[in-house]
Amino acid sequence: MSANEDQEMELEALRSIYEGDESFRELSPVSFQYRIGENGDPKAFLIEISWTETYPQTPPILSMNAFFNNTISSAVKQSILAKLQEAVEANLGTAMTYTLFEYAKDNKEQFMENHNPINSATSISSIISIETPNTAPSSKKKDKKEQLSKAQKRKLADKTDHKGELPRGWNWVDVVKLSKTGSKDDE
C-alpha cells in the first residue's frame, strides 16, 4: 500500500474511533490534536501530531506548542516528546497516531510527575492586590478595552493561520523591489 492509502485508512479509523470525543480535534486531514486529561486538570496537556507526506514510513511531527500547554515547563514538554519519540521509533512503518494518543493517556501520570504548574495569573493578581491599598479606590476608573469592529477582527484573522500565528515570512523584505530601487540610485 502507498503512504496516501495508509493515511486515508488511518484517517477513517481515527474519525470513527474518536467520533464524539471532545478531547480529539482534527485540524486538517493530516494534523490532529488530543487533550490528555480533563479540562480543569492542572496536569492535562495537548499533543499535536502532523503527518509527513511519506508517513507512516517516516515519523510524524510531534508538537506541544499549543497555547493550552503554556503552564507546562519546557523541560517537562521535552521529556514527554522524548518518550513519545521512542514510541514513534518502535511503531515506524505502521499507523501510529491512535497508539501515540493512547500511550500518552496511559502514561499521563508518569509524564507529568515533575510538573509544577507555571501560573503567571496568580503572581500578577498578587502584585495587583498588594499595590491596590496604596491607591485611592474612588480615584481609579475602570479602563475600557479597545473594541474591534467585525471588519478589523476579520482582517486580523486573515493575517494569521489557524493557530493565531503569523505566516512564515510575513515581515520579510521583498528583495526584487529592493534590487530595482537600489539600481535606480546607482545610476
Side-chain angles (χ1 to χ4, degrees):
M1 258 194 270
S2 72
N4 284 342
E5 290 171 348
D6 286 343
Q7 288 180 12
E8 285 176 25
M9 286 180 57
E10 186 172 3
L11 179 60
E12 285 180 40
L14 287 171
R15 285 177 177 161
S16 65
I17 292 169
Y18 291 117
E19 184 178 357
D21 188 343
E22 293 178 9
S23 298
F24 178 76
R25 191 164 153 215
E26 182 181 335
L27 302 175
S28 74
V30 294
S31 185
F32 311 93
Q33 282 183 342
Y34 196 85
R35 184 183 69 238
I36 309 298
E38 295 302 315
N39 234 350
D41 185 0
K43 291 191 174 190
F45 58 93
L46 194 81
I47 298 174
E48 185 173 326
I49 297 178
S50 300
W51 297 343
T52 57
E53 284 186 32
T54 54
Y55 169 86
Q57 276 38 348
T58 57
I61 299 164
L62 304 174
S63 171
M64 288 189 68
N65 294 333
F67 182 76
F68 187 86
N69 296 331
N70 68 345
T71 61
I72 302 172
S73 70
S74 59
V76 172
K77 287 181 190 177
Q78 291 303 320
S79 168
I80 293 170
L81 288 173
K83 290 172 184 171
L84 286 173
Q85 201 60 45
E86 291 173 13
V88 165
E89 290 168 15
N91 292 299
L92 203 58
T94 62
M96 68 183 89
T97 305
Y98 172 77
T99 307
L100 293 174
F101 288 151
E102 292 302 308
Y103 175 72
K105 280 172 37 178
D106 294 344
N107 295 295
K108 175 188 163 219
E109 292 303 319
Q110 179 189 351
F111 287 173
M112 298 300 278
E113 65 188 356
N114 297 325
H115 171 61
N116 295 319
I118 303 168
N119 197 349
S120 57
T122 54
S123 61
I124 291 171
S125 63
S126 64
I127 291 169
I128 292 172
S129 63
I130 292 168
E131 292 177 4
T132 305
N134 298 339
T135 60
S138 60
S139 66
K140 201 170 189 180
K141 292 184 179 179
K142 278 191 173 180
D143 293 331
K144 285 191 173 183
K145 266 190 170 179
E146 184 181 336
Q147 297 293 323
L148 297 177
S149 68
K150 279 187 178 180
Q152 289 171 321
K153 288 178 186 176
R154 213 174 288 123
K155 197 176 219 181
L156 189 62
D158 288 342
K159 288 181 183 178
T160 60
D161 62 3
H162 67 280
K163 297 178 190 173
E165 298 172 358
L166 293 168
R168 182 172 183 260
W170 68 272
N171 62 349
W172 290 357
V173 178
D174 192 354
V175 177
V176 176
K177 286 182 182 175
L178 275 179
S179 64
K180 286 181 182 178
T181 56
S183 62
K184 289 180 183 176
D185 294 336
D186 295 337
E187 290 176 3

